[in-house]
Amino acid sequence: MANSTIRTELCDMLGINYPIIQAGMGPFSTNRLAGVSANAGVLGIVSTSGFGYLRGSAAQMETGAAQVVKSLTDDLGGTWQEQLKRALRRVEESCREAKGIFGINVMVSSEVAEFAREVIRTTIELREEDPEIKDRLRVIITSAGDPLPLTDTIKSSGLKWFHVVPSVRHALRAERAGVDAIISSGQEGGGHVAWEPVHTIVLLPAIVRAVNIPVIGAGGFGTGASLIAALALGAAGVQMGTRFLATKESEFHPVHKDYILKGNERDTIVARGVVGPLRWIKNEAAVDFTRLTVEKAPGVFLGEPEDLADVAREVRAKEDEGWDAQFRGDGPKALMPGGEVGGLVDDIPSVKELVERIVKEAEDVLVNLPQKYLKD
Ligand SMILES: Cc1cc2nc3c(=O)[nH]c(=O)nc-3n(C[C@H](O)[C@H](O)[C@H](O)COP(=O)(O)O)c2cc1C
């Protein structure tokens, strides 16, 4: 037992040391975060949603979005596809020595479907051009949309394919699309949440029961004990977003990290955001934005999905202002995604320290539980 650690089928499938995924978190690229996470033995994920900014013009650099662009590339030359390839090459170089494994997250909702296809195509092309990348970049995590139209493209690429879902119905559709694993996205999570909310404690085992492929828990995970809870519910591992955001290396603004650090478990709120309901850190801007959502986009609270095209201009303008303030680090005016698990975050460690702590806690819990509760 002395040298044993926690391993699951997720570790075997991807060649990672621990059954933990550092979540993709846009719009920052999470390049650096993905590299250090891969080096720490978990799956590092590069978020690709921010590359949409590079389709714009140099004018983007005049706004707060300049901070996002800086996190994506240090060289604005060439097309955004070339910049994406350069960024992925840099991540691979940063985790080559430790043989880290990483992947990309692509949001595939209908509003961004064409861009998503191009991100996927560019990534597959890069893997074919570069054997080192092919070896290290092993996974694509799609989210926020329908996986079925992507089956042919992704399945023929040799990438492992995970899809994020908020319900059993969506999980069955993803299984039908041919994904290799499902990520169960519980309502406590930071960022996008479901039109019809279900929390991890019910959603995760319901999906495990319904499908015949590995399931990964997401939404509310941040500790070793919760990793063991996920395994007890039948998961093959966990994906953590908010917990990895609040680390030294993550690209997010220090003000964003500070809100997570100081907040408690009640300091988040759900309002409209990007393509649907989104969990924000509860500050002045988020409370105002929630009021506006109640008035102008009540479907968020009634489980009635509405297209982005139908959302009032006022709501979209207010959200844009909030993102811009986030990039600038303007605390009270900033809209900052974050999960309930922020209430359990009480430091900003390096990723290596965080992973070591989570794994140690998980091992201790696993060893101690039988001693404590299995009685003759
Ligand atoms: C700041 C932030 C940005 C996020 N951006 C994305 C994204 O671009 N695509 C995506 O699929 N999920 C995104 N998510 C969700 C995460 O990938 C992950 O599923 C979620 O954070 C898990 O819940 P947790 O925050 O409780 O760990 C984001 C989450 C946060 C906190």
Side-chain angles (χ1 to χ4, degrees), residues 183-265:
I183 300 185
S184 151
S185 177
Q187 190 70 6
E188 27 321 50
H192 281 114
V193 288
W195 289 98
E196 292 165 288
V198 187
H199 292 77
T200 287
I201 196 78
V202 171
L203 183 65
L204 177 56
I207 293 178
V208 167
R209 243 190 235 182
V211 300
N212 291 306
I213 49 177
V215 181
I216 291 134
F221 295 100
T223 63
S226 64
L227 165 59
I228 297 303
L231 300 187
L233 294 173
V238 292
Q239 164 164 289
M240 299 180 182
T242 303
R243 182 55 275 198
F244 276 95
L245 192 161
T247 56
K248 285 200 175 82
E249 294 96 336
S250 99
E251 279 88 346
F252 287 79
H253 199 285
V255 166
H256 195 157
K257 297 180 191 179
D258 202 46
Y259 268 90
I260 293 174
L261 183 64
K262 300 207 171 113
N264 66 36
E265 77 286 356

